[in-house]
Amino acid sequence: TCRDFGANYLNSCAPNAIYFCNGDNDTFPVWYNMEVEGTRTDMRACNLSYLSTDWYIDQMKRGAYESAPLPITWERKDYVSEHLDVSRVIDHPQFGGSMPLEQALDLVRVPELIDDGIGNMFASNMEVPVDKDQVLATGTVKPEDADKIVDTMNIKLNRIVEKSQMMVLEMIHSNNWERPMYFAVTVGEQFYPNIKNYLQLEGLCYRLVPIDNGGREKVNTEAMYDNLMHKFRFGGIETPDIYIDENLMRMCRTHRMMFASLVEALIDEGQNDKALEVLDYCMQVIPPTTVPHDYTSVMLADAYYTLGENAKGDNITGAFAAELYQRLDWIQSL
């Protein structure tokens, strides 16, 4: 199951992708897949926890298998240990409003400014100009969505920016949409810059795209349907007598929530037949016999009701209610 779930992260991504991870479950099964199984060695997995260290940045600047080096142009003196580990985020004294990302990345590394106390600071608001022709040429955005591409991506930072976040910003700037960039859904937003308005769900990963989602989760239903229905594997968790421990159970429910997000997006697009197909498939590969229904299943029940499949919705809500009553009875007995 760990092998399959690790592959699912990788298979959520387009060819030649940069994949950002952070924790155990979205990193070690992925490394195992790439290093031992030879899965998706066209990609590069980059762990944000390690990206704060100079030795790991050195690794990312080297190629691996079919992956070219990551687009980091900083020299080693710029990211060496105990230098620019953390920078303050302010309304930069030399600029009002926002600052181009390229300029912010340059200023933070100027030794003279650091000595004057002006450097080692990041502007709180940064702008990333978007080359629409490049975005379309690299397939980052489909031609039919060309009118949705923003002229400028706006990135607002919080009080501090850590070295790993600087490196992500550096890659966003230097990559220029050449390679697809993805963030695992299990990475907390605090571990990467505030780019959530430009993230698009495609499986177990969000893809960075220059389309403002307005704060509402955007789903690429075409890519995500293909990934979940045709590429994902589930490690035999449908086997009736299998035991799923607490840690693995969380990952099973993460997958269930991804199905729910896809179903909701398909219904919003009026693709009800596909939505029902996805719902039924989810119940098949992640059945309640081994992964009991909980709050993550409520969205699935709601979708069944929306599609007129009331009996299937009742099966989920009834099972969830029974589970809740068991817990309440146990708590009351203490």
Side-chain angles (χ1 to χ4, degrees):
T1 308
C2 295
R3 178 203 61 201
D4 284 0
F5 285 3
N8 291 347
Y9 277 109
L10 293 169
N11 287 325
S12 297
C13 304
N16 195 34
I18 300 169
Y19 162 79
F20 292 107
C21 48
N22 189 71
D24 294 353
N25 291 343
D26 52 35
T27 301
F28 297 116
V30 166
W31 281 345
Y32 168 82
N33 269 274
M34 301 181 84
E35 302 290 343
V36 180
E37 303 276 347
T39 304
R40 295 302 307 271
T41 50
D42 59 299
M43 294 173 51
R44 191 66 182 272
C46 180
N47 182 282
L48 296 172
S49 299
Y50 295 161
L51 197 59
S52 290
T53 66
D54 50 10
W55 60 266
Y56 190 72
I57 297 171
D58 288 342
Q59 287 187 18
M60 295 298 101
K61 292 180 69 174
R62 297 194 292 267
Y65 299 112
E66 292 84 46
S67 169
L70 294 194
I72 299 173
T73 62
W74 285 24
E75 298 179 21
R76 199 173 200 281
K77 64 180 177 61
D78 297 323
Y79 59 80
V80 69
S81 179
E82 299 184 7
H83 176 63
L84 293 183
D85 289 336
V86 177
S87 292
R88 287 180 292 160
V89 173
I90 62 168
D91 294 327
H92 207 286
Q94 294 185 353
F95 298 86
S98 58
M99 177 188 295
L101 174 58
E102 181 178 14
Q103 197 163 23
L105 290 167
D106 287 342
L107 283 175
V108 78
R109 292 178 288 159
V110 177
E112 293 80 11
L113 293 180
I114 294 175
D115 294 339
D116 292 340
I118 299 175
N120 198 18
M121 296 180 185
F122 248 86
S124 56
N125 294 285
M126 290 174 296
E127 298 179 344
V128 183
V130 177
D131 183 339
K132 293 187 178 182
D133 292 335
Q134 172 74 348
V135 168
L136 293 170
T138 57
T140 305
V141 174
K142 296 179 292 187
E144 55 265 35
D145 290 332
D147 60 326
K148 301 176 183 177
I149 301 173
V150 298
D151 295 319
T152 304
M153 291 173 54
N154 296 294
I155 302 177
K156 182 176 177 61
L157 299 177
N158 295 320
R159 294 175 59 191
I160 62 170
V161 57
E162 297 179 3
K163 184 178 292 180
S164 61
Q165 295 173 323
M166 293 185 216
M167 290 298 100
V168 172
L169 290 168
E170 155 67 2
M171 284 186 261
I172 290 174
H173 165 65
S174 300
N175 185 51
N176 192 28
W177 309 107
E178 286 287 342
R179 299 180 67 172
M181 299 180 73
Y182 287 85
F183 296 81
V185 297
T186 41
V187 176
E189 293 178 5
Q190 70 271 25
F191 294 107
Y192 53 84
N194 186 9
I195 53 174
K196 61 184 178 182
N197 275 22
Y198 306 102
L199 296 180
Q200 174 178 275
L201 187 62
E202 298 190 359
L204 280 177
C205 299
Y206 292 106
R207 182 172 183 171
L208 182 67
V209 294
I211 296 176
D212 192 337
N213 60 32
R216 186 174 184 271
E217 184 172 79
K218 177 177 172 56
V219 179
N220 181 340
T221 54
E222 182 181 353
M224 193 165 180
Y225 175 89
D226 184 43
N227 290 336
L228 267 64
M229 299 294 286
H230 301 140
K231 297 178 182 178
F232 276 25
R233 298 291 179 266
F234 300 90
I237 60 173
E238 77 284 354
T239 306
D241 57 351
I242 196 172
Y243 171 72
I244 300 176
D245 67 23
E246 180 184 3
N247 195 50
L248 185 56
M249 186 69 76
R250 289 202 307 273
M251 286 304 302
C252 292
R253 286 174 171 149
T254 296
H255 279 76
R256 182 177 275 167
M257 287 190 289
M258 295 306 102
F259 274 106
S261 294
L262 174 58
V263 167
E264 187 179 78
L266 288 169
I267 291 174
D268 287 345
E269 293 178 0
Q271 300 191 63
N272 289 359
D273 290 342
K274 267 192 170 182
L276 182 58
E277 181 188 0
V278 172
L279 275 170
D280 289 342
Y281 184 66
C282 177
M283 292 299 102
Q284 174 189 333
V285 296
I286 312 177
T289 49
T290 54
V291 184
H293 288 306
D294 67 349
Y295 70 93
T296 61
S297 302
V298 173
M299 292 182 289
L300 300 176
D302 185 58
Y304 269 131
Y305 290 135
T306 300
L307 296 172
E309 297 285 341
N310 293 345
K312 294 178 179 179
D314 288 344
N315 287 338
I316 295 175
T317 53
F320 184 29
E323 173 72 15
L324 292 179
Y325 276 119
Q326 284 184 347
R327 296 187 183 201
L328 289 170
D329 287 343
W330 179 76
I331 292 171
Q332 183 64 26
S333 73
L334 297 178

PDB file of all heavy atoms in Angstrom, residues 16 49 86 114 123 164 181 193 196 210 214 219-220 257 295 304 309 314 321:
ATOM      1  N   ASN A  16       8.163  15.323 -16.520  1.00  0.00           N
ATOM      2  CA  ASN A  16       9.268  16.244 -16.256  1.00  0.00           C
ATOM      3  C   ASN A  16       8.970  17.206 -15.112  1.00  0.00           C
ATOM      4  O   ASN A  16       9.537  18.291 -15.033  1.00  0.00           O
ATOM      5  CB  ASN A  16       9.613  17.042 -17.534  1.00  0.00           C
ATOM      6  CG  ASN A  16      10.959  17.728 -17.449  1.00  0.00           C
ATOM      7  OD1 ASN A  16      11.896  17.230 -16.845  1.00  0.00           O
ATOM      8  ND2 ASN A  16      11.052  18.907 -18.049  1.00  0.00           N
ATOM      9  N   SER A  49      11.408  20.290   3.791  1.00  0.00           N
ATOM     10  CA  SER A  49      12.073  20.279   5.098  1.00  0.00           C
ATOM     11  C   SER A  49      13.587  20.348   4.925  1.00  0.00           C
ATOM     12  O   SER A  49      14.282  21.017   5.699  1.00  0.00           O
ATOM     13  CB  SER A  49      11.707  19.008   5.868  1.00  0.00           C
ATOM     14  OG  SER A  49      10.331  18.927   6.106  1.00  0.00           O
ATOM     15  N   VAL A  86      16.787  32.797   7.473  1.00  0.00           N
ATOM     16  CA  VAL A  86      15.478  33.424   7.644  1.00  0.00           C
ATOM     17  C   VAL A  86      15.610  34.895   7.291  1.00  0.00           C
ATOM     18  O   VAL A  86      16.598  35.542   7.637  1.00  0.00           O
ATOM     19  CB  VAL A  86      14.964  33.287   9.099  1.00  0.00           C
ATOM     20  CG1 VAL A  86      13.632  34.008   9.258  1.00  0.00           C
ATOM     21  CG2 VAL A  86      14.815  31.828   9.492  1.00  0.00           C
ATOM     22  N   ILE A 114      22.834  44.227   3.163  1.00  0.00           N
ATOM     23  CA  ILE A 114      22.760  43.450   4.408  1.00  0.00           C
ATOM     24  C   ILE A 114      23.538  44.166   5.504  1.00  0.00           C
ATOM     25  O   ILE A 114      23.080  44.276   6.647  1.00  0.00           O
ATOM     26  CB  ILE A 114      23.302  42.025   4.187  1.00  0.00           C
ATOM     27  CG1 ILE A 114      22.379  41.255   3.230  1.00  0.00           C
ATOM     28  CG2 ILE A 114      23.418  41.281   5.516  1.00  0.00           C
ATOM     29  CD1 ILE A 114      22.893  39.884   2.872  1.00  0.00           C
ATOM     30  N   ALA A 123      10.234  41.872   0.395  1.00  0.00           N
ATOM     31  CA  ALA A 123       9.028  42.687   0.270  1.00  0.00           C
ATOM     32  C   ALA A 123       7.813  41.845   0.607  1.00  0.00           C
ATOM     33  O   ALA A 123       7.748  40.663   0.266  1.00  0.00           O
ATOM     34  CB  ALA A 123       8.909  43.235  -1.149  1.00  0.00           C
ATOM     35  N   SER A 164      14.009  27.739   2.624  1.00  0.00           N
ATOM     36  CA  SER A 164      13.313  26.825   1.720  1.00  0.00           C
ATOM     37  C   SER A 164      12.274  27.564   0.887  1.00  0.00           C
ATOM     38  O   SER A 164      12.108  27.285  -0.308  1.00  0.00           O
ATOM     39  CB  SER A 164      12.645  25.704   2.523  1.00  0.00           C
ATOM     40  OG  SER A 164      11.688  26.217   3.429  1.00  0.00           O
ATOM     41  N   MET A 181       5.287  22.429 -11.957  1.00  0.00           N
ATOM     42  CA  MET A 181       5.633  22.480 -10.537  1.00  0.00           C
ATOM     43  C   MET A 181       4.406  22.063  -9.723  1.00  0.00           C
ATOM     44  O   MET A 181       3.322  22.624  -9.892  1.00  0.00           O
ATOM     45  CB  MET A 181       6.094  23.883 -10.142  1.00  0.00           C
ATOM     46  CG  MET A 181       7.320  24.353 -10.892  1.00  0.00           C
ATOM     47  SD  MET A 181       7.875  26.029 -10.426  1.00  0.00           S
ATOM     48  CE  MET A 181       8.583  25.724  -8.817  1.00  0.00           C
ATOM     49  N   PRO A 193       5.513  29.380  -0.019  1.00  0.00           N
ATOM     50  CA  PRO A 193       4.984  30.742  -0.112  1.00  0.00           C
ATOM     51  C   PRO A 193       3.481  30.751  -0.354  1.00  0.00           C
ATOM     52  O   PRO A 193       2.892  29.769  -0.799  1.00  0.00           O
ATOM     53  CB  PRO A 193       5.747  31.326  -1.310  1.00  0.00           C
ATOM     54  CG  PRO A 193       6.962  30.479  -1.449  1.00  0.00           C
ATOM     55  CD  PRO A 193       6.571  29.111  -0.994  1.00  0.00           C
ATOM     56  N   LYS A 196      -1.542  29.869  -2.833  1.00  0.00           N
ATOM     57  CA  LYS A 196      -2.697  28.979  -2.907  1.00  0.00           C
ATOM     58  C   LYS A 196      -3.730  29.430  -3.939  1.00  0.00           C
ATOM     59  O   LYS A 196      -4.478  28.596  -4.449  1.00  0.00           O
ATOM     60  CB  LYS A 196      -3.349  28.841  -1.529  1.00  0.00           C
ATOM     61  CG  LYS A 196      -3.863  30.133  -0.929  1.00  0.00           C
ATOM     62  CD  LYS A 196      -4.401  29.894   0.478  1.00  0.00           C
ATOM     63  CE  LYS A 196      -4.887  31.190   1.122  1.00  0.00           C
ATOM     64  NZ  LYS A 196      -5.373  30.959   2.499  1.00  0.00           N
ATOM     65  N   PRO A 210      -0.839  29.904 -13.658  1.00  0.00           N
ATOM     66  CA  PRO A 210      -1.098  31.353 -13.559  1.00  0.00           C
ATOM     67  C   PRO A 210      -2.563  31.696 -13.800  1.00  0.00           C
ATOM     68  O   PRO A 210      -2.911  32.523 -14.645  1.00  0.00           O
ATOM     69  CB  PRO A 210      -0.187  31.921 -14.648  1.00  0.00           C
ATOM     70  CG  PRO A 210      -0.145  30.848 -15.684  1.00  0.00           C
ATOM     71  CD  PRO A 210      -0.212  29.544 -14.936  1.00  0.00           C
ATOM     72  N   GLY A 214      -9.429  32.563  -7.073  1.00  0.00           N
ATOM     73  CA  GLY A 214     -10.289  33.356  -6.219  1.00  0.00           C
ATOM     74  C   GLY A 214     -10.459  32.799  -4.823  1.00  0.00           C
ATOM     75  O   GLY A 214     -11.436  33.118  -4.133  1.00  0.00           O
ATOM     76  N   VAL A 219     -10.119  22.561  -9.701  1.00  0.00           N
ATOM     77  CA  VAL A 219      -9.812  21.172 -10.040  1.00  0.00           C
ATOM     78  C   VAL A 219      -9.708  21.033 -11.547  1.00  0.00           C
ATOM     79  O   VAL A 219     -10.600  21.467 -12.285  1.00  0.00           O
ATOM     80  CB  VAL A 219     -10.907  20.219  -9.509  1.00  0.00           C
ATOM     81  CG1 VAL A 219     -10.583  18.772  -9.889  1.00  0.00           C
ATOM     82  CG2 VAL A 219     -11.049  20.346  -8.002  1.00  0.00           C
ATOM     83  N   ASN A 220      -8.622  20.456 -12.007  1.00  0.00           N
ATOM     84  CA  ASN A 220      -8.494  20.076 -13.417  1.00  0.00           C
ATOM     85  C   ASN A 220      -9.170  18.716 -13.564  1.00  0.00           C
ATOM     86  O   ASN A 220      -8.545  17.678 -13.353  1.00  0.00           O
ATOM     87  CB  ASN A 220      -7.017  20.015 -13.814  1.00  0.00           C
ATOM     88  CG  ASN A 220      -6.804  19.653 -15.279  1.00  0.00           C
ATOM     89  OD1 ASN A 220      -7.692  19.096 -15.935  1.00  0.00           O
ATOM     90  ND2 ASN A 220      -5.630  19.957 -15.798  1.00  0.00           N
ATOM     91  N   MET A 257     -10.928  11.782   0.152  1.00  0.00           N
ATOM     92  CA  MET A 257     -11.237  13.205   0.000  1.00  0.00           C
ATOM     93  C   MET A 257     -10.897  13.703  -1.406  1.00  0.00           C
ATOM     94  O   MET A 257     -11.565  14.596  -1.939  1.00  0.00           O
ATOM     95  CB  MET A 257     -10.504  14.019   1.061  1.00  0.00           C
ATOM     96  CG  MET A 257     -11.081  13.857   2.455  1.00  0.00           C
ATOM     97  SD  MET A 257     -10.423  15.026   3.673  1.00  0.00           S
ATOM     98  CE  MET A 257      -8.749  14.396   3.878  1.00  0.00           C
ATOM     99  N   TYR A 295     -16.177  11.746   8.733  1.00  0.00           N
ATOM    100  CA  TYR A 295     -16.561  13.036   8.149  1.00  0.00           C
ATOM    101  C   TYR A 295     -16.088  13.189   6.705  1.00  0.00           C
ATOM    102  O   TYR A 295     -16.687  13.931   5.925  1.00  0.00           O
ATOM    103  CB  TYR A 295     -16.018  14.179   9.007  1.00  0.00           C
ATOM    104  CG  TYR A 295     -14.511  14.333   8.939  1.00  0.00           C
ATOM    105  CD1 TYR A 295     -13.921  15.198   8.032  1.00  0.00           C
ATOM    106  CD2 TYR A 295     -13.677  13.600   9.780  1.00  0.00           C
ATOM    107  CE1 TYR A 295     -12.548  15.328   7.952  1.00  0.00           C
ATOM    108  CE2 TYR A 295     -12.303  13.723   9.718  1.00  0.00           C
ATOM    109  CZ  TYR A 295     -11.747  14.595   8.806  1.00  0.00           C
ATOM    110  OH  TYR A 295     -10.377  14.711   8.723  1.00  0.00           O
ATOM    111  N   TYR A 304     -24.051  11.793  -3.799  1.00  0.00           N
ATOM    112  CA  TYR A 304     -25.048  10.777  -4.176  1.00  0.00           C
ATOM    113  C   TYR A 304     -26.457  11.356  -4.128  1.00  0.00           C
ATOM    114  O   TYR A 304     -27.274  11.128  -5.038  1.00  0.00           O
ATOM    115  CB  TYR A 304     -24.946   9.567  -3.237  1.00  0.00           C
ATOM    116  CG  TYR A 304     -24.009   8.484  -3.704  1.00  0.00           C
ATOM    117  CD1 TYR A 304     -23.050   7.937  -2.833  1.00  0.00           C
ATOM    118  CD2 TYR A 304     -24.079   7.959  -5.003  1.00  0.00           C
ATOM    119  CE1 TYR A 304     -22.184   6.928  -3.248  1.00  0.00           C
ATOM    120  CE2 TYR A 304     -23.217   6.950  -5.423  1.00  0.00           C
ATOM    121  CZ  TYR A 304     -22.269   6.441  -4.542  1.00  0.00           C
ATOM    122  OH  TYR A 304     -21.424   5.435  -4.977  1.00  0.00           O
ATOM    123  N   GLU A 309     -29.199   9.445  -6.181  1.00  0.00           N
ATOM    124  CA  GLU A 309     -28.920   8.087  -5.691  1.00  0.00           C
ATOM    125  C   GLU A 309     -29.099   8.068  -4.177  1.00  0.00           C
ATOM    126  O   GLU A 309     -28.151   7.915  -3.406  1.00  0.00           O
ATOM    127  CB  GLU A 309     -27.498   7.674  -6.091  1.00  0.00           C
ATOM    128  CG  GLU A 309     -27.263   7.591  -7.588  1.00  0.00           C
ATOM    129  CD  GLU A 309     -27.891   6.351  -8.214  1.00  0.00           C
ATOM    130  OE1 GLU A 309     -28.189   5.388  -7.470  1.00  0.00           O
ATOM    131  OE2 GLU A 309     -28.083   6.349  -9.439  1.00  0.00           O
ATOM    132  N   ASP A 314     -27.860   7.188   1.693  1.00  0.00           N
ATOM    133  CA  ASP A 314     -28.304   6.712   3.011  1.00  0.00           C
ATOM    134  C   ASP A 314     -27.340   5.676   3.594  1.00  0.00           C
ATOM    135  O   ASP A 314     -27.134   5.624   4.811  1.00  0.00           O
ATOM    136  CB  ASP A 314     -29.704   6.099   2.907  1.00  0.00           C
ATOM    137  CG  ASP A 314     -30.778   7.151   2.692  1.00  0.00           C
ATOM    138  OD1 ASP A 314     -30.502   8.344   2.919  1.00  0.00           O
ATOM    139  OD2 ASP A 314     -31.905   6.776   2.290  1.00  0.00           O
ATOM    140  N   ALA A 321     -23.442   7.580  11.008  1.00  0.00           N
ATOM    141  CA  ALA A 321     -24.225   7.821  12.225  1.00  0.00           C
ATOM    142  C   ALA A 321     -24.023   6.695  13.245  1.00  0.00           C
ATOM    143  O   ALA A 321     -23.858   6.950  14.442  1.00  0.00           O
ATOM    144  CB  ALA A 321     -25.704   7.964  11.875  1.00  0.00           C
TER     145      ALA A 321
END
